[in-house]
Amino acid sequence: MDEQTGYRGGIADMRRRLCRAWIFSGLALLAAMASAQDGAGPSYEDILRGFEDPERWLTYSGDYSGKRHSPLTQIDRDNVAELRPVWTFQTGTTTRGRGFETTPLLDDGVLYVTGSNNYAWAIDARTGRSFWSYRRNLPNDLTYGASAPVNRGFGMLGNRLFMVTLDAHLMAFDRRSGDVLWERELADYQLGYAATLAPLVLDDKVIVGISGGEYQTRGFIDAFDPVSGERIWRFNTIPGPGEAGSETWPDDPAILAAGGGGTWMNGSYDPDLNLIYWGVGNPNPDYYDENRPGDNLYTNSIVALDANNGELRWHYQFTPHDVNDWDANQVPVLADIEWRGEPRRVLLWGNRNGFFYVLDRVTGEFLLGEPFTATTWAREIGADGRPIILNDGSQGCLPDPWGGTNFYPPSFYPGLDLFILTARETCATYVPEEPANTRGQSNFGGTVFIDAEQGSGALRALDIHSGDLVWEFTYPSPTFGGVMTTAAGLAFAGDHEGNFMAFDVENGENLWHYQTGSRIWGAAAITYMLDGLQYVLIPSGTTLTAFALRAP
Amino acid sequence: MVCSLWHLIRCSGFEVDQADQLAGPKKKQTRANRNKNKIIVTLQGLATNSALLLALTVFSGLLQAQAINPLENDPRAARAGGSLFRAQCATCHGADARGISTIDAPDLTLMWVQGSRNDSEVFTIIRDGIAGSIMPPHGFTDTEVWMLVSYLRSVAVTGTMEPIGGDVERGASLFAEQCARCHRLDGVGGSLGPDLSGITARRSIDALLNALREPSANIARRYKPVTLVTASGETVQGTIKSEDAFSIQIMDSEQALRAFMKADLRQLNKDVASLMPEFSAAILSDAEVNDVLSYLQAER
């Protein structure tokens, strides 16, 4: 085009060009209107921008890093005591035991929420009133999905929502109507598979994992095309015969094919490195290990996969040869920090085995591993990154199978470099027993006696450079609530007794609490702005409660 | 739905086929497979036995047959059921079937005495689950469900059914004097301690005697003792009904339900001694205890 080179024609030419400009801008306007009517929805670039748009929460942790740290500051340490509920949403379902573990997604004033037993809703973020609801007709012979009938949230891209199901499917919905666009089977649920996590959505892929490591299953991470629903790649968490890692198992294809290694919590993503970080669960059977000598890779590990093809770049195994069901199914937290005087891209991890880890997320190099619980198992990770085991269970109790922490989200507070998580102190005795090894039946391989008298919980803030405890707030029972922090110096957390609370992130002082009426179990808060008002939202039981400083 | 003769024969047939198949010469005998074989063979034996047993029962009354556990008299059933229980049920209900209170999984050892359920109802719950709850239906064969019923029967809390044989009248006056302030019997009495209606059917004589002699040795949840001092200086004793990080809910020794914010309290001490006094033999002789228990049994 010559427009850039300067004036060359007369008035007529100028008119022509002006006219053309009008037409162009008119077309652009029409296109914009069409797209608004079309409601194109959030793009991959929008998800990449994470917290930049305060009126959105587009992926499980708010951004790809897993920090669950919002920049919002309207609610701060001085006014948080005035926080009050502004609406509640109740599912109207009667699920007992395990309710909401979901993180709602927010776009354009609408919350997209999944519930237990594969219910889902679109809700007005200002009033809590629903636009549509969905319930999946689940088969009545669910396996793993019957014992943990939960869901942790949608993934979203454009006008599509993605949800996994208890009968091990991935579904795509139209976000405006709740209509099902397509569904794909991940694995045969009758063998023990199920799916509960929030899909991780990239520009051209929906990444999901699988539950069922308590059954004779083989874990995997799958990438699907968001539009066609075709599977693009699969990474198996248990190697096949002869593949790298198979040397850490007995030379028996049947054992490898049922090695467990669930991937039931969503991972995080580094767009610069194009790496997906994902945690892998226990080997099968959980407690009985006679038939599986070796480290049992890649169980109880973090794997870093090339997003393009699912190929393994590196791995680190937190608990080699696990016999305590200490799944490494936690949210990987990605942070760019100064480490020992050098800028470093790290991965922070509070593990179910009671240790806090810092790894280099480019190479997988082990940088730090320190305990964050009082219970004894190993008290040290050797320089080679392997735990030095002090108590294999023969010298009194160990952390219970629910772990020193679990899948519920922690939060990273930049600047203070604090890793804030909910810790569980427990005492359990493991009694392994050879299981029946029946396909489609749970296969724990023993039992666990938990001493109910010796249990407590705490919200703990760890210095990521040393793993040292900076502060804690104790709870009367082992707790399963997640954490969110905001740049106003606040940490929001939930407890087993149903309290939703705000803490001063610098010293752990409790600044506000509200009794929601049901335990906060596996869920963490989100926050967003609408009409100039900051909301904080927490799921508990079968209720979502929204809080703000005044009525909307 | 309950197990019928037809179901059972079908079950046992199925298991036999399975066992034959596995025992075939072409099958690679991994350790896992060998073990599976062992279990299946046990199942087969049980199923055959039970089919015979049921066949006999059928003659004595076709209608009642459905409510009776066909494996009731087979000691191996409870053992096999125990293995199944530990593999399939213990995650929620605990390795000892006594439930896990923090996840609302009920104590199954109390199933018969509390819900006064019969075997066939327990069978139905295991197989079909409880609608609207997290207890799912299970894909066990009917024989396996009956094994689980047998196991649960074997660990069920049981008390005394035979007459205790003390002086009921003296027991009644002792109860009114010593116990009724805190314990309720058939709707009459206090609430500081547990309701004792029907207690002799749920607890052994020894257990009840121990509870009287050493009440602090084993204090049940919801009866844990506490002493607290309020902001105004009042000292309050009671039992903890619930508690969170900020508040505590108790029944005080005057049997009033009271709640306190922890931050407002001067002191909060979780005591080790139960609010139930120790009834030594000097206060209540073995014979007198026997009379009280006889009264409790008679009132049932």
Side-chain angles (χ1 to χ4, degrees):
Chain A
M1 296 274 273
D2 60 3
E3 273 84 352
Q4 279 82 19
T5 60
Y7 175 68
R8 287 216 306 236
I11 295 292
D13 192 34
M14 199 174 187
R15 259 200 207 117
R16 246 193 334 270
R17 281 195 288 156
L18 268 174
C19 184
R20 201 157 59 196
W22 273 109
I23 288 168
F24 272 129
S25 58
L27 280 173
L29 191 67
L30 276 174
M33 281 169 67
S35 122
Q37 271 165 7
D38 195 34
S43 65
Y44 167 65
E45 285 69 29
D46 292 327
I47 308 174
L48 267 183
R49 278 192 283 273
F51 291 103
E52 273 178 36
D53 183 345
E55 300 196 346
R56 282 176 151 168
W57 189 289
L58 299 179
T59 187
Y60 182 77
S61 300
D63 68 8
Y64 283 129
S65 77
K67 293 189 194 80
R68 205 170 276 256
H69 176 75
S70 160
L72 299 185
T73 55
Q74 184 179 82
I75 301 164
D76 61 26
R77 284 178 280 204
D78 294 328
N79 62 25
V80 67
E82 294 154 37
L83 209 55
R84 55 172 163 144
V86 292
W87 57 255
T88 60
F89 170 80
Q90 300 198 34
T91 63
T93 59
T94 55
T95 305
R96 216 161 60 102
R98 287 176 83 164
F100 272 132
E101 295 184 11
T102 192
T103 290
L105 300 185
L106 173 71
D107 180 58
D108 202 19
V110 181
L111 290 160
Y112 299 95
V113 185
T114 67
S116 48
N117 293 296
N118 293 134
Y119 280 76
W121 301 267
I123 297 171
D124 177 8
R126 293 171 174 88
T127 62
R129 300 288 299 165
S130 81
F131 292 104
W132 55 256
S133 68
Y134 169 81
R135 179 181 69 85
R136 182 168 175 80
N137 277 323
L138 289 162
N140 61 10
D141 59 345
L142 289 174
T143 50
Y144 182 86
S147 56
V150 299
N151 191 278
R152 307 209 170 82
F154 278 121
M156 181 168 11
L157 186 67
N159 277 324
R160 289 184 170 78
L161 295 168
F162 306 95
M163 178 179 88
V164 295
T165 71
L166 300 175
D167 56 342
H169 283 64
L170 170 63
M171 306 181 69
F173 296 86
D174 181 289
R175 73 185 179 108
R176 296 156 300 191
S177 62
D179 291 342
V180 178
L181 300 175
W182 50 258
E183 62 174 81
R184 298 285 179 270
E185 186 184 51
L186 301 172
D188 182 353
Y189 75 87
Q190 289 180 315
L191 297 179
Y193 293 97
T196 57
L197 48 60
L200 174 69
V201 179
L202 310 184
D203 55 347
D204 53 358
K205 291 180 194 73
V206 181
I207 318 284
V208 296
I210 197 77
S211 311
E214 276 59 52
Y215 290 71
Q216 291 210 312
T217 60
R218 182 191 190 198
F220 55 82
I221 299 162
D222 274 354
F224 285 86
D225 184 304
V227 179
S228 70
E230 296 309 307
R231 197 166 77 194
I232 301 167
W233 52 254
R234 166 169 289 190
F235 171 78
N236 288 302
T237 59
I238 311 294
E243 288 177 5
S246 61
E247 71 282 359
T248 65
W249 290 88
D251 185 15
D252 183 341
I255 288 176
L256 288 173
T263 49
W264 52 269
M265 196 56 204
N266 44 295
S268 299
Y269 175 60
D270 184 327
D272 291 329
L273 298 169
N274 198 33
L275 288 180
I276 297 166
Y277 301 93
W278 213 283
V280 184
N282 63 278
N284 174 265
D286 298 51
Y287 314 129
Y288 182 80
D289 64 342
E290 293 283 311
N291 294 339
R292 53 172 178 86
D295 281 355
N296 305 148
L297 290 174
Y298 297 94
T299 62
N300 303 71
S301 302
I302 163 83
V303 291
L305 306 182
D306 185 324
N308 288 340
N309 51 26
E311 280 173 18
L312 180 69
R313 286 288 183 79
W314 59 259
H315 78 276
Y316 173 79
Q317 191 174 35
F318 300 102
T319 316
H321 191 76
D322 171 43
V323 288
N324 303 109
D325 194 8
W326 293 334
D327 293 323
N329 299 109
Q330 287 87 35
V331 182
V333 178
L334 316 183
D336 296 346
I337 56 160
E338 193 162 284
W339 181 261
R340 313 287 187 249
E342 299 281 326
R344 200 138 191 183
R345 291 186 275 193
V346 300
L347 186 150
L348 309 170
W349 197 287
N351 195 276
R352 199 151 145 177
N353 69 13
F355 276 78
F356 166 71
Y357 295 84
V358 183
L359 305 176
D360 183 308
R361 76 169 183 272
V362 183
T363 63
E365 184 189 344
F366 168 79
L367 301 177
L368 182 90
E370 292 291 335
F372 61 85
T373 60
T375 32
T376 57
W377 162 61
R379 285 292 83 188
E380 198 181 323
I381 308 292
D384 60 353
R386 287 184 76 89
I388 299 167
I389 292 167
L390 299 180
N391 179 8
D392 59 5
S394 57
Q395 300 159 61
C397 57
L398 297 171
D400 74 12
W402 303 91
T405 188
N406 210 301
F407 66 91
Y408 41 81
S411 183
F412 174 68
Y413 201 94
L416 295 174
D417 284 5
L418 292 177
F419 187 83
I420 304 174
L421 84 172
T422 304
R424 305 174 73 253
E425 298 289 356
T426 54
C427 163
T429 313
Y430 294 74
V431 185
E433 183 184 1
E434 185 166 7
N437 293 312
T438 309
R439 291 286 262 186
Q441 298 231 338
S442 71
N443 209 49
F444 284 91
T447 40
V448 184
F449 294 86
I450 297 170
D451 182 351
E453 302 282 322
Q454 292 190 54
S456 65
L459 182 69
R460 291 191 175 143
L462 311 177
D463 178 340
I464 64 157
H465 299 283
S466 60
D468 289 349
L469 181 66
V470 178
W471 55 257
E472 72 170 343
F473 183 87
T474 56
Y475 303 130
S477 63
T479 294
F480 244 72
V483 187
M484 175 192 72
T485 58
T486 66
L490 292 172
F492 288 90
D495 76 15
H496 200 69
E497 284 70 38
N499 286 299
F500 181 50
M501 300 157 285
F503 299 90
D504 184 331
V505 81
E506 285 188 54
N507 54 26
E509 187 192 342
N510 177 261
L511 302 174
W512 171 83
H513 62 92
Y514 177 87
Q515 174 56 250
T516 64
S518 183
R519 67 189 55 132
I520 295 165
W521 211 96
I526 68 165
T527 187
Y528 54 86
M529 297 292 289
L530 281 178
D531 315 319
L533 189 63
Q534 184 183 353
Y535 292 76
V536 179
L537 190 63
I538 188 75
S540 91
T542 50
T543 302
L544 293 178
T545 310
F547 299 88
L549 292 171
R550 57 170 174 81
Chain B
M1 284 272 287
V2 284
C3 191
S4 65
L5 176 63
W6 173 244
H7 275 124
L8 204 65
I9 288 170
R10 199 169 52 105
C11 294
S12 58
F14 171 75
E15 298 295 351
V16 171
D17 289 348
Q18 191 94 333
D20 285 342
Q21 204 176 49
L22 283 168
K26 292 181 291 297
K27 210 84 183 174
K28 190 186 169 195
Q29 290 282 305
T30 61
R31 188 167 168 181
N33 265 338
R34 277 201 304 279
N35 184 56
K36 192 173 187 175
N37 236 339
K38 207 158 58 197
I39 297 272
I40 298 285
V41 169
T42 320
L43 291 177
Q44 184 191 343
L46 279 169
T48 315
N49 268 4
S50 55
L52 281 172
L53 196 118
L54 194 74
L56 290 173
T57 323
V58 166
F59 286 102
S60 60
L62 199 61
L63 286 174
Q64 284 96 351
Q66 295 186 329
I68 291 171
N69 181 351
L71 309 181
E72 197 176 342
N73 297 322
D74 192 329
R76 292 170 302 175
R79 262 203 316 277
S83 289
L84 269 176
F85 185 87
R86 285 187 287 279
Q88 305 290 333
C89 319
T91 311
C92 294
H93 290 289
D96 49 9
R98 297 185 64 168
I100 299 176
S101 59
T102 51
I103 57 170
D104 285 347
D107 182 342
L108 302 181
T109 65
L110 298 174
M111 204 159 29
W112 276 271
V113 291
Q114 275 186 342
S116 46
R117 291 199 176 83
N118 62 38
D119 286 5
S120 97
E121 286 167 332
V122 174
F123 177 98
T124 307
I125 290 171
I126 295 171
R127 201 190 48 190
D128 299 344
I130 297 176
S133 88
I134 199 170
M135 171 74 182
H138 290 88
F140 301 123
T141 63
D142 286 1
T143 312
E144 288 172 319
V145 178
W146 283 124
M147 287 172 180
L148 284 165
V149 173
S150 297
Y151 167 72
L152 290 172
R153 267 286 188 199
S154 76
V155 296
V157 165
T158 51
T160 311
M161 291 305 161
E162 311 86 71
I164 296 167
D167 182 335
V168 172
E169 214 162 296
R170 197 163 66 132
S173 70
L174 283 168
F175 185 86
E177 258 165 52
Q178 305 274 15
C179 318
R181 190 188 159 269
C182 297
H183 291 284
R184 205 164 50 252
L185 182 66
D186 294 342
V188 181
S191 297
L192 195 57
D195 189 324
L196 298 181
S197 309
I199 190 75
T200 56
R202 300 199 298 273
R203 292 278 185 271
S204 69
I205 302 292
D206 278 352
L208 291 170
L209 183 63
N210 287 342
L212 276 158
R213 298 282 189 239
E214 287 181 74
S216 303
N218 188 6
I219 307 172
R221 194 171 155 256
R222 300 176 62 78
Y223 295 98
K224 305 268 188 206
V226 67
T227 304
L228 44 86
V229 181
T230 66
S232 61
E234 182 197 2
T235 299
V236 182
Q237 268 199 307
T239 54
I240 303 175
K241 298 301 169 184
S242 70
E243 179 188 6
D244 70 6
F246 306 99
S247 67
I248 184 164
Q249 292 72 34
I250 71 166
M251 178 184 285
D252 73 11
S253 51
E254 302 306 311
Q255 307 193 16
L257 297 178
R258 298 175 72 176
F260 303 89
M261 296 308 290
K262 288 180 176 176
D264 297 340
L265 295 172
R266 283 195 208 166
Q267 267 186 54
L268 193 165
N269 296 320
K270 292 183 181 171
D271 303 324
V272 289
S274 172
L275 285 171
M276 161 114 172
E278 276 184 21
F279 286 90
S280 67
I283 303 169
L284 212 59
S285 69
D286 282 359
E288 287 173 319
V289 169
N290 213 44
D291 295 340
V292 171
L293 296 182
S294 300
Y295 169 63
L296 292 177
Q297 187 180 43
E299 282 299 297
R300 169 118 165 93

